[in-house]
mmCIF file of all heavy atoms in Angstrom:
data_model
loop_
_atom_site.group_PDB
_atom_site.id
_atom_site.type_symbol
_atom_site.label_atom_id
_atom_site.label_comp_id
_atom_site.label_asym_id
_atom_site.label_seq_id
_atom_site.Cartn_x
_atom_site.Cartn_y
_atom_site.Cartn_z
ATOM 1 N N TYR D 87 -2.668 26.258 80.877
ATOM 2 C CA TYR D 87 -2.927 24.949 81.497
ATOM 3 C C TYR D 87 -1.774 23.958 81.328
ATOM 4 O O TYR D 87 -1.920 22.779 81.629
ATOM 5 C CB TYR D 87 -4.205 24.351 80.915
ATOM 6 C CG TYR D 87 -5.427 25.178 81.218
ATOM 7 C CD1 TYR D 87 -6.026 25.964 80.228
ATOM 8 C CD2 TYR D 87 -5.990 25.203 82.499
ATOM 9 C CE1 TYR D 87 -7.143 26.736 80.499
ATOM 10 C CE2 TYR D 87 -7.106 25.979 82.776
ATOM 11 C CZ TYR D 87 -7.679 26.735 81.771
ATOM 12 O OH TYR D 87 -8.794 27.502 82.053
ATOM 13 N N ASP D 88 -0.634 24.429 80.833
ATOM 14 C CA ASP D 88 0.549 23.581 80.661
ATOM 15 C C ASP D 88 0.272 22.414 79.708
ATOM 16 O O ASP D 88 0.663 21.280 79.948
ATOM 17 C CB ASP D 88 1.041 23.046 82.015
ATOM 18 C CG ASP D 88 2.442 22.450 81.915
ATOM 19 O OD1 ASP D 88 3.208 22.910 81.059
ATOM 20 O OD2 ASP D 88 2.751 21.519 82.681
ATOM 21 N N TRP D 89 -0.431 22.714 78.624
ATOM 22 C CA TRP D 89 -0.631 21.717 77.583
ATOM 23 C C TRP D 89 0.592 21.694 76.677
ATOM 24 O O TRP D 89 1.281 22.694 76.509
ATOM 25 C CB TRP D 89 -1.866 22.044 76.742
ATOM 26 C CG TRP D 89 -3.155 22.030 77.503
ATOM 27 C CD1 TRP D 89 -3.408 21.416 78.695
ATOM 28 C CD2 TRP D 89 -4.380 22.684 77.130
ATOM 29 N NE1 TRP D 89 -4.710 21.627 79.087
ATOM 30 C CE2 TRP D 89 -5.336 22.400 78.139
ATOM 31 C CE3 TRP D 89 -4.771 23.454 76.033
ATOM 32 C CZ2 TRP D 89 -6.644 22.876 78.085
ATOM 33 C CZ3 TRP D 89 -6.068 23.927 75.974
ATOM 34 C CH2 TRP D 89 -6.994 23.640 76.991
ATOM 35 N N GLU D 90 0.840 20.544 76.082
ATOM 36 C CA GLU D 90 1.949 20.411 75.134
ATOM 37 C C GLU D 90 1.406 20.666 73.735
ATOM 38 O O GLU D 90 0.636 19.868 73.185
ATOM 39 C CB GLU D 90 2.555 19.012 75.211
ATOM 40 C CG GLU D 90 3.782 18.813 74.346
ATOM 41 C CD GLU D 90 5.007 19.555 74.850
ATOM 42 O OE1 GLU D 90 5.059 19.890 76.052
ATOM 43 O OE2 GLU D 90 5.905 19.801 74.041
ATOM 44 N N LEU D 91 1.786 21.783 73.142
ATOM 45 C CA LEU D 91 1.314 22.171 71.817
ATOM 46 C C LEU D 91 2.460 22.061 70.824
ATOM 47 O O LEU D 91 3.539 22.622 71.040
ATOM 48 C CB LEU D 91 0.784 23.609 71.849
ATOM 49 C CG LEU D 91 0.316 24.202 70.517
ATOM 50 C CD1 LEU D 91 -0.879 23.419 69.972
ATOM 51 C CD2 LEU D 91 -0.039 25.675 70.686
ATOM 52 N N ARG D 92 2.194 21.331 69.711
ATOM 53 C CA ARG D 92 3.215 21.125 68.711
ATOM 54 C C ARG D 92 2.643 21.372 67.316
ATOM 55 O O ARG D 92 1.442 21.292 67.098
ATOM 56 C CB ARG D 92 3.788 19.708 68.784
ATOM 57 C CG ARG D 92 4.349 19.348 70.140
ATOM 58 C CD ARG D 92 5.182 18.085 70.072
ATOM 59 N NE ARG D 92 6.394 18.287 69.289
ATOM 60 C CZ ARG D 92 7.479 18.888 69.773
ATOM 61 N NH1 ARG D 92 7.502 19.342 71.007
ATOM 62 N NH2 ARG D 92 8.551 19.024 69.009
ATOM 63 N N ILE D 93 3.549 21.644 66.397
ATOM 64 C CA ILE D 93 3.197 21.783 64.991
ATOM 65 C C ILE D 93 3.884 20.662 64.227
ATOM 66 O O ILE D 93 5.068 20.394 64.425
ATOM 67 C CB ILE D 93 3.644 23.145 64.414
ATOM 68 C CG1 ILE D 93 3.077 24.301 65.253
ATOM 69 C CG2 ILE D 93 3.240 23.272 62.946
ATOM 70 C CD1 ILE D 93 1.577 24.369 65.289
ATOM 71 N N SER D 94 3.128 20.009 63.352
ATOM 72 C CA SER D 94 3.687 18.949 62.513
ATOM 73 C C SER D 94 3.644 19.402 61.055
ATOM 74 O O SER D 94 2.592 19.774 60.539
ATOM 75 C CB SER D 94 2.874 17.656 62.682
ATOM 76 O OG SER D 94 3.360 16.634 61.842
ATOM 77 N N THR D 95 4.812 19.352 60.410
ATOM 78 C CA THR D 95 4.931 19.812 59.028
ATOM 79 C C THR D 95 5.485 18.696 58.152
ATOM 80 O O THR D 95 6.510 18.087 58.485
ATOM 81 C CB THR D 95 5.843 21.048 58.934
ATOM 82 O OG1 THR D 95 5.254 22.111 59.691
ATOM 83 C CG2 THR D 95 6.025 21.504 57.503
ATOM 84 N N LEU D 96 4.812 18.443 57.046
ATOM 85 C CA LEU D 96 5.218 17.396 56.113
ATOM 86 C C LEU D 96 6.067 18.023 55.008
ATOM 87 O O LEU D 96 5.591 18.849 54.232
ATOM 88 C CB LEU D 96 3.977 16.729 55.515
ATOM 89 C CG LEU D 96 4.197 15.491 54.643
ATOM 90 C CD1 LEU D 96 4.732 14.335 55.482
ATOM 91 C CD2 LEU D 96 2.885 15.097 53.957
ATOM 92 N N ILE D 97 7.322 17.623 54.927
ATOM 93 C CA ILE D 97 8.236 18.167 53.926
ATOM 94 C C ILE D 97 7.924 17.544 52.571
ATOM 95 O O ILE D 97 8.001 16.321 52.396
ATOM 96 C CB ILE D 97 9.696 17.887 54.318
ATOM 97 C CG1 ILE D 97 10.008 18.495 55.694
ATOM 98 C CG2 ILE D 97 10.649 18.433 53.269
ATOM 99 C CD1 ILE D 97 11.354 18.088 56.249
ATOM 100 N N ASN D 98 7.575 18.370 51.591
ATOM 101 C CA ASN D 98 7.153 17.870 50.290
ATOM 102 C C ASN D 98 7.593 18.820 49.183
ATOM 103 O O ASN D 98 8.197 19.866 49.444
ATOM 104 C CB ASN D 98 5.641 17.671 50.283
ATOM 105 C CG ASN D 98 4.892 18.968 50.525
ATOM 106 O OD1 ASN D 98 4.708 19.766 49.606
ATOM 107 N ND2 ASN D 98 4.463 19.208 51.766
ATOM 108 N N ILE D 99 7.288 18.463 47.948
ATOM 109 C CA ILE D 99 7.767 19.255 46.815
ATOM 110 C C ILE D 99 7.196 20.670 46.804
ATOM 111 O O ILE D 99 7.809 21.581 46.247
ATOM 112 C CB ILE D 99 7.446 18.565 45.471
ATOM 113 C CG1 ILE D 99 5.937 18.397 45.268
ATOM 114 C CG2 ILE D 99 8.164 17.228 45.369
ATOM 115 C CD1 ILE D 99 5.540 17.900 43.888
ATOM 116 N N TYR D 100 6.047 20.873 47.421
ATOM 117 C CA TYR D 100 5.405 22.186 47.393
ATOM 118 C C TYR D 100 6.006 23.166 48.405
ATOM 119 O O TYR D 100 6.014 24.371 48.160
ATOM 120 C CB TYR D 100 3.906 22.054 47.670
ATOM 121 C CG TYR D 100 3.142 21.217 46.670
ATOM 122 C CD1 TYR D 100 2.626 19.983 47.041
ATOM 123 C CD2 TYR D 100 2.938 21.645 45.368
ATOM 124 C CE1 TYR D 100 1.917 19.203 46.143
ATOM 125 C CE2 TYR D 100 2.227 20.877 44.456
ATOM 126 C CZ TYR D 100 1.723 19.646 44.857
ATOM 127 O OH TYR D 100 1.019 18.877 43.956
ATOM 128 N N ASN D 101 6.453 22.668 49.548
ATOM 129 C CA ASN D 101 6.883 23.590 50.610
ATOM 130 C C ASN D 101 8.384 23.634 50.840
ATOM 131 O O ASN D 101 8.859 24.412 51.675
ATOM 132 C CB ASN D 101 6.173 23.262 51.930
ATOM 133 C CG ASN D 101 6.566 21.913 52.517
ATOM 134 O OD1 ASN D 101 7.464 21.229 52.019
ATOM 135 N ND2 ASN D 101 5.884 21.516 53.584
ATOM 136 N N ILE D 102 9.148 22.812 50.113
ATOM 137 C CA ILE D 102 10.575 22.700 50.402
ATOM 138 C C ILE D 102 11.307 24.034 50.245
ATOM 139 O O ILE D 102 12.288 24.305 50.937
ATOM 140 C CB ILE D 102 11.222 21.613 49.499
ATOM 141 C CG1 ILE D 102 12.673 21.352 49.901
ATOM 142 C CG2 ILE D 102 11.120 21.975 48.026
ATOM 143 C CD1 ILE D 102 12.825 20.826 51.295
ATOM 144 N N ASP D 103 10.802 24.897 49.355
ATOM 145 C CA ASP D 103 11.478 26.173 49.110
ATOM 146 C C ASP D 103 11.004 27.289 50.033
ATOM 147 O O ASP D 103 11.571 28.387 50.025
ATOM 148 C CB ASP D 103 11.265 26.590 47.641
ATOM 149 C CG ASP D 103 12.174 27.734 47.222
ATOM 150 O OD1 ASP D 103 13.323 27.762 47.685
ATOM 151 O OD2 ASP D 103 11.727 28.592 46.441
ATOM 152 N N THR D 104 9.970 27.011 50.856
ATOM 153 C CA THR D 104 9.412 28.077 51.704
ATOM 154 C C THR D 104 9.258 27.653 53.163
ATOM 155 O O THR D 104 8.525 28.298 53.914
ATOM 156 C CB THR D 104 8.035 28.531 51.169
ATOM 157 O OG1 THR D 104 7.138 27.400 51.148
ATOM 158 C CG2 THR D 104 8.150 29.115 49.773
ATOM 159 N N LEU D 105 9.927 26.593 53.572
ATOM 160 C CA LEU D 105 9.818 26.151 54.965
ATOM 161 C C LEU D 105 10.268 27.233 55.936
ATOM 162 O O LEU D 105 9.744 27.334 57.054
ATOM 163 C CB LEU D 105 10.656 24.888 55.186
ATOM 164 C CG LEU D 105 10.063 23.570 54.682
ATOM 165 C CD1 LEU D 105 11.042 22.424 54.922
ATOM 166 C CD2 LEU D 105 8.731 23.275 55.357
ATOM 167 N N ASP D 106 11.227 28.048 55.522
ATOM 168 C CA ASP D 106 11.714 29.104 56.409
ATOM 169 C C ASP D 106 10.630 30.143 56.698
ATOM 170 O O ASP D 106 10.560 30.685 57.807
ATOM 171 C CB ASP D 106 12.951 29.782 55.816
ATOM 172 C CG ASP D 106 12.691 30.354 54.423
ATOM 173 O OD1 ASP D 106 12.005 29.688 53.619
ATOM 174 O OD2 ASP D 106 13.196 31.459 54.127
ATOM 175 N N VAL D 107 9.764 30.405 55.710
ATOM 176 C CA VAL D 107 8.679 31.375 55.904
ATOM 177 C C VAL D 107 7.721 30.877 56.979
ATOM 178 O O VAL D 107 7.360 31.614 57.907
ATOM 179 C CB VAL D 107 7.924 31.622 54.579
ATOM 180 C CG1 VAL D 107 6.767 32.600 54.813
ATOM 181 C CG2 VAL D 107 8.865 32.146 53.518
ATOM 182 N N LEU D 108 7.308 29.619 56.870
ATOM 183 C CA LEU D 108 6.412 29.044 57.880
ATOM 184 C C LEU D 108 7.104 28.979 59.230
ATOM 185 O O LEU D 108 6.511 29.359 60.261
ATOM 186 C CB LEU D 108 5.975 27.638 57.451
ATOM 187 C CG LEU D 108 5.179 26.851 58.498
ATOM 188 C CD1 LEU D 108 3.860 27.551 58.822
ATOM 189 C CD2 LEU D 108 4.919 25.423 58.026
ATOM 190 N N HIS D 109 8.324 28.489 59.241
ATOM 191 C CA HIS D 109 9.067 28.324 60.500
ATOM 192 C C HIS D 109 9.166 29.661 61.241
ATOM 193 O O HIS D 109 8.871 29.738 62.443
ATOM 194 C CB HIS D 109 10.462 27.770 60.199
ATOM 195 C CG HIS D 109 11.259 27.437 61.417
ATOM 196 N ND1 HIS D 109 11.266 26.193 61.995
ATOM 197 C CD2 HIS D 109 12.071 28.200 62.196
ATOM 198 C CE1 HIS D 109 12.048 26.187 63.048
ATOM 199 N NE2 HIS D 109 12.546 27.395 63.197
ATOM 200 N N ASN D 110 9.559 30.696 60.533
ATOM 201 C CA ASN D 110 9.737 32.005 61.171
ATOM 202 C C ASN D 110 8.408 32.575 61.652
ATOM 203 O O ASN D 110 8.339 33.209 62.719
ATOM 204 C CB ASN D 110 10.411 32.972 60.192
ATOM 205 C CG ASN D 110 11.842 32.573 59.889
ATOM 206 O OD1 ASN D 110 12.490 31.891 60.686
ATOM 207 N ND2 ASN D 110 12.338 32.956 58.723
ATOM 208 N N TRP D 111 7.335 32.354 60.887
ATOM 209 C CA TRP D 111 6.022 32.834 61.317
ATOM 210 C C TRP D 111 5.580 32.129 62.595
ATOM 211 O O TRP D 111 5.061 32.771 63.520
ATOM 212 C CB TRP D 111 4.990 32.610 60.217
ATOM 213 C CG TRP D 111 3.622 33.091 60.617
ATOM 214 C CD1 TRP D 111 3.154 34.372 60.590
ATOM 215 C CD2 TRP D 111 2.542 32.288 61.131
ATOM 216 N NE1 TRP D 111 1.855 34.427 61.042
ATOM 217 C CE2 TRP D 111 1.448 33.160 61.382
ATOM 218 C CE3 TRP D 111 2.392 30.931 61.384
ATOM 219 C CZ2 TRP D 111 0.230 32.713 61.888
ATOM 220 C CZ3 TRP D 111 1.176 30.475 61.885
ATOM 221 C CH2 TRP D 111 0.118 31.351 62.132
ATOM 222 N N LEU D 112 5.792 30.822 62.672
ATOM 223 C CA LEU D 112 5.410 30.072 63.872
ATOM 224 C C LEU D 112 6.160 30.579 65.103
ATOM 225 O O LEU D 112 5.579 30.705 66.190
ATOM 226 C CB LEU D 112 5.684 28.585 63.667
ATOM 227 C CG LEU D 112 4.767 27.865 62.672
ATOM 228 C CD1 LEU D 112 5.292 26.463 62.386
ATOM 229 C CD2 LEU D 112 3.334 27.800 63.193
ATOM 230 N N ILE D 113 7.426 30.896 64.932
ATOM 231 C CA ILE D 113 8.217 31.423 66.048
ATOM 232 C C ILE D 113 7.644 32.763 66.519
ATOM 233 O O ILE D 113 7.513 33.010 67.728
ATOM 234 C CB ILE D 113 9.697 31.585 65.639
ATOM 235 C CG1 ILE D 113 10.316 30.234 65.268
ATOM 236 C CG2 ILE D 113 10.494 32.240 66.776
ATOM 237 C CD1 ILE D 113 10.310 29.208 66.363
ATOM 238 N N THR D 114 7.259 33.610 65.579
ATOM 239 C CA THR D 114 6.700 34.915 65.964
ATOM 240 C C THR D 114 5.363 34.759 66.681
ATOM 241 O O THR D 114 4.975 35.629 67.472
ATOM 242 C CB THR D 114 6.497 35.831 64.742
ATOM 243 O OG1 THR D 114 5.515 35.257 63.864
ATOM 244 C CG2 THR D 114 7.801 36.034 63.998
ATOM 245 N N GLN D 115 4.655 33.665 66.429
ATOM 246 C CA GLN D 115 3.370 33.431 67.090
ATOM 247 C C GLN D 115 3.537 32.877 68.507
ATOM 248 O O GLN D 115 2.572 32.823 69.274
ATOM 249 C CB GLN D 115 2.515 32.457 66.273
ATOM 250 C CG GLN D 115 2.202 32.923 64.865
ATOM 251 C CD GLN D 115 1.570 34.293 64.835
ATOM 252 O OE1 GLN D 115 0.482 34.498 65.377
ATOM 253 N NE2 GLN D 115 2.239 35.243 64.193
ATOM 254 N N GLY D 116 4.748 32.449 68.847
ATOM 255 C CA GLY D 116 4.987 31.931 70.186
ATOM 256 C C GLY D 116 5.223 30.434 70.252
ATOM 257 O O GLY D 116 5.295 29.864 71.351
ATOM 258 N N ILE D 117 5.358 29.764 69.091
ATOM 259 C CA ILE D 117 5.690 28.341 69.078
ATOM 260 C C ILE D 117 7.194 28.189 69.253
ATOM 261 O O ILE D 117 7.979 28.820 68.548
ATOM 262 C CB ILE D 117 5.247 27.682 67.753
ATOM 263 C CG1 ILE D 117 3.730 27.812 67.567
ATOM 264 C CG2 ILE D 117 5.667 26.212 67.717
ATOM 265 C CD1 ILE D 117 2.906 27.046 68.569
ATOM 266 N N LYS D 118 7.595 27.335 70.189
ATOM 267 C CA LYS D 118 9.014 27.113 70.407
ATOM 268 C C LYS D 118 9.602 26.305 69.254
ATOM 269 O O LYS D 118 8.954 25.417 68.709
ATOM 270 C CB LYS D 118 9.235 26.367 71.719
ATOM 271 C CG LYS D 118 8.767 27.126 72.950
ATOM 272 C CD LYS D 118 8.948 26.292 74.206
ATOM 273 C CE LYS D 118 8.442 27.030 75.433
ATOM 274 N NZ LYS D 118 8.563 26.194 76.663
ATOM 275 N N GLU D 119 10.837 26.614 68.904
ATOM 276 C CA GLU D 119 11.474 25.931 67.774
ATOM 277 C C GLU D 119 11.496 24.424 67.960
ATOM 278 O O GLU D 119 11.275 23.669 67.014
ATOM 279 C CB GLU D 119 12.897 26.457 67.583
ATOM 280 C CG GLU D 119 13.579 25.915 66.340
ATOM 281 C CD GLU D 119 14.886 26.607 66.065
ATOM 282 O OE1 GLU D 119 14.883 27.654 65.372
ATOM 283 O OE2 GLU D 119 15.922 26.101 66.545
ATOM 284 N N GLN D 120 11.743 23.974 69.194
ATOM 285 C CA GLN D 120 11.810 22.530 69.447
ATOM 286 C C GLN D 120 10.431 21.873 69.405
ATOM 287 O O GLN D 120 10.321 20.651 69.478
ATOM 288 C CB GLN D 120 12.490 22.227 70.782
ATOM 289 C CG GLN D 120 11.766 22.720 72.014
ATOM 290 C CD GLN D 120 12.248 24.085 72.465
ATOM 291 O OE1 GLN D 120 12.669 24.902 71.639
ATOM 292 N NE2 GLN D 120 12.217 24.333 73.778
ATOM 293 N N ASN D 121 9.379 22.674 69.281
ATOM 294 C CA ASN D 121 8.020 22.141 69.207
ATOM 295 C C ASN D 121 7.486 22.107 67.780
ATOM 296 O O ASN D 121 6.288 21.945 67.571
ATOM 297 C CB ASN D 121 7.067 22.955 70.085
ATOM 298 C CG ASN D 121 7.225 22.630 71.559
ATOM 299 O OD1 ASN D 121 8.289 22.215 71.991
ATOM 300 N ND2 ASN D 121 6.178 22.803 72.321
ATOM 301 N N ILE D 122 8.380 22.266 66.806
ATOM 302 C CA ILE D 122 8.002 22.144 65.399
ATOM 303 C C ILE D 122 8.632 20.862 64.870
ATOM 304 O O ILE D 122 9.853 20.728 64.838
ATOM 305 C CB ILE D 122 8.473 23.351 64.574
ATOM 306 C CG1 ILE D 122 7.998 24.664 65.214
ATOM 307 C CG2 ILE D 122 7.973 23.242 63.141
ATOM 308 C CD1 ILE D 122 8.567 25.909 64.559
ATOM 309 N N ASP D 123 7.793 19.928 64.476
ATOM 310 C CA ASP D 123 8.261 18.624 64.004
ATOM 311 C C ASP D 123 8.161 18.544 62.492
ATOM 312 O O ASP D 123 7.124 18.877 61.910
ATOM 313 C CB ASP D 123 7.422 17.503 64.616
ATOM 314 C CG ASP D 123 7.482 17.496 66.131
ATOM 315 O OD1 ASP D 123 8.566 17.779 66.664
ATOM 316 O OD2 ASP D 123 6.453 17.219 66.771
ATOM 317 N N TYR D 124 9.232 18.081 61.868
ATOM 318 C CA TYR D 124 9.271 17.941 60.419
ATOM 319 C C TYR D 124 9.367 16.468 60.045
ATOM 320 O O TYR D 124 10.173 15.726 60.600
ATOM 321 C CB TYR D 124 10.464 18.699 59.836
ATOM 322 C CG TYR D 124 10.355 20.195 60.001
ATOM 323 C CD1 TYR D 124 10.982 20.847 61.068
ATOM 324 C CD2 TYR D 124 9.612 20.967 59.104
ATOM 325 C CE1 TYR D 124 10.873 22.220 61.219
ATOM 326 C CE2 TYR D 124 9.511 22.338 59.247
ATOM 327 C CZ TYR D 124 10.133 22.964 60.312
ATOM 328 O OH TYR D 124 10.019 24.316 60.469
ATOM 329 N N ASN D 125 8.517 16.063 59.103
ATOM 330 C CA ASN D 125 8.516 14.689 58.621
ATOM 331 C C ASN D 125 8.648 14.685 57.105
ATOM 332 O O ASN D 125 8.033 15.507 56.416
ATOM 333 C CB ASN D 125 7.214 13.976 59.003
ATOM 334 C CG ASN D 125 7.081 13.785 60.496
ATOM 335 O OD1 ASN D 125 7.660 12.885 61.065
ATOM 336 N ND2 ASN D 125 6.308 14.657 61.132
ATOM 337 N N LEU D 126 9.413 13.760 56.586
ATOM 338 C CA LEU D 126 9.580 13.642 55.142
ATOM 339 C C LEU D 126 8.360 12.972 54.517
ATOM 340 O O LEU D 126 7.886 11.948 55.002
ATOM 341 C CB LEU D 126 10.823 12.815 54.820
ATOM 342 C CG LEU D 126 12.170 13.449 55.152
ATOM 343 C CD1 LEU D 126 13.271 12.410 55.081
ATOM 344 C CD2 LEU D 126 12.464 14.615 54.213
ATOM 345 N N CYS D 127 7.868 13.543 53.442
ATOM 346 C CA CYS D 127 6.763 12.940 52.701
ATOM 347 C C CYS D 127 7.315 11.814 51.817
ATOM 348 O O CYS D 127 8.142 12.059 50.937
ATOM 349 C CB CYS D 127 6.059 13.986 51.845
ATOM 350 S SG CYS D 127 4.655 13.327 50.914
ATOM 351 N N ILE D 128 6.862 10.600 52.078
ATOM 352 C CA ILE D 128 7.241 9.443 51.277
ATOM 353 C C ILE D 128 6.048 8.966 50.441
ATOM 354 O O ILE D 128 6.196 8.450 49.339
ATOM 355 C CB ILE D 128 7.752 8.300 52.172
ATOM 356 C CG1 ILE D 128 8.912 8.786 53.048
ATOM 357 C CG2 ILE D 128 8.184 7.103 51.346
ATOM 358 C CD1 ILE D 128 10.133 9.247 52.283
ATOM 359 N N TYR D 129 4.854 9.143 50.998
ATOM 360 C CA TYR D 129 3.626 8.770 50.295
ATOM 361 C C TYR D 129 2.662 9.952 50.311
ATOM 362 O O TYR D 129 2.497 10.576 51.365
ATOM 363 C CB TYR D 129 2.967 7.553 50.956
ATOM 364 C CG TYR D 129 1.676 7.168 50.289
ATOM 365 C CD1 TYR D 129 1.666 6.284 49.222
ATOM 366 C CD2 TYR D 129 0.463 7.728 50.697
ATOM 367 C CE1 TYR D 129 0.475 5.954 48.578
ATOM 368 C CE2 TYR D 129 -0.731 7.407 50.058
ATOM 369 C CZ TYR D 129 -0.708 6.519 49.005
ATOM 370 O OH TYR D 129 -1.882 6.204 48.368
ATOM 371 N N PRO D 130 2.005 10.273 49.191
ATOM 372 C CA PRO D 130 2.228 9.656 47.885
ATOM 373 C C PRO D 130 3.614 9.986 47.331
ATOM 374 O O PRO D 130 4.121 11.094 47.562
ATOM 375 C CB PRO D 130 1.126 10.263 47.015
ATOM 376 C CG PRO D 130 0.802 11.569 47.669
ATOM 377 C CD PRO D 130 1.000 11.352 49.135
ATOM 378 N N GLN D 131 4.189 9.036 46.622
ATOM 379 C CA GLN D 131 5.575 9.195 46.197
ATOM 380 C C GLN D 131 5.763 10.366 45.236
ATOM 381 O O GLN D 131 6.881 10.889 45.100
ATOM 382 C CB GLN D 131 6.094 7.908 45.570
ATOM 383 C CG GLN D 131 5.339 7.447 44.336
ATOM 384 C CD GLN D 131 5.894 6.153 43.772
ATOM 385 O OE1 GLN D 131 6.958 5.692 44.185
ATOM 386 N NE2 GLN D 131 5.194 5.561 42.824
ATOM 387 N N GLU D 132 4.675 10.825 44.600
ATOM 388 C CA GLU D 132 4.776 11.973 43.700
ATOM 389 C C GLU D 132 5.184 13.250 44.427
ATOM 390 O O GLU D 132 5.651 14.201 43.801
ATOM 391 C CB GLU D 132 3.431 12.208 42.987
ATOM 392 C CG GLU D 132 3.082 11.182 41.936
ATOM 393 C CD GLU D 132 2.368 9.970 42.521
ATOM 394 O OE1 GLU D 132 2.231 9.898 43.763
ATOM 395 O OE2 GLU D 132 1.942 9.110 41.751
#
């Protein structure tokens, strides 16, 4: 139906070392690289 599908990922202390694993899996599922959005976690500051 030509819907715009995106993935939003919050960069944080837990996933910083494994973002490539998620990124590569999403690509294999058919998500376009330009449709994966990354945002820096500022809150909670921990």
Side-chain angles (χ1 to χ4, degrees):
Y87 297 105
D88 194 29
W89 297 340
E90 185 71 22
L91 177 63
R92 304 193 67 79
I93 305 298
S94 178
T95 298
L96 187 67
I97 302 171
N98 61 81
I99 61 172
Y100 299 111
N101 66 6
I102 187 62
D103 193 36
T104 59
L105 282 178
D106 57 319
V107 178
L108 173 63
H109 186 92
N110 293 335
W111 180 81
L112 290 170
I113 298 300
T114 64
Q115 301 306 298
I117 300 294
K118 298 177 182 178
E119 186 171 272
Q120 64 266 31
N121 284 27
I122 307 173
D123 300 323
Y124 294 96
N125 293 280
L126 291 167
C127 181
I128 304 298
Y129 178 89
Q131 61 181 350
E132 288 87 355

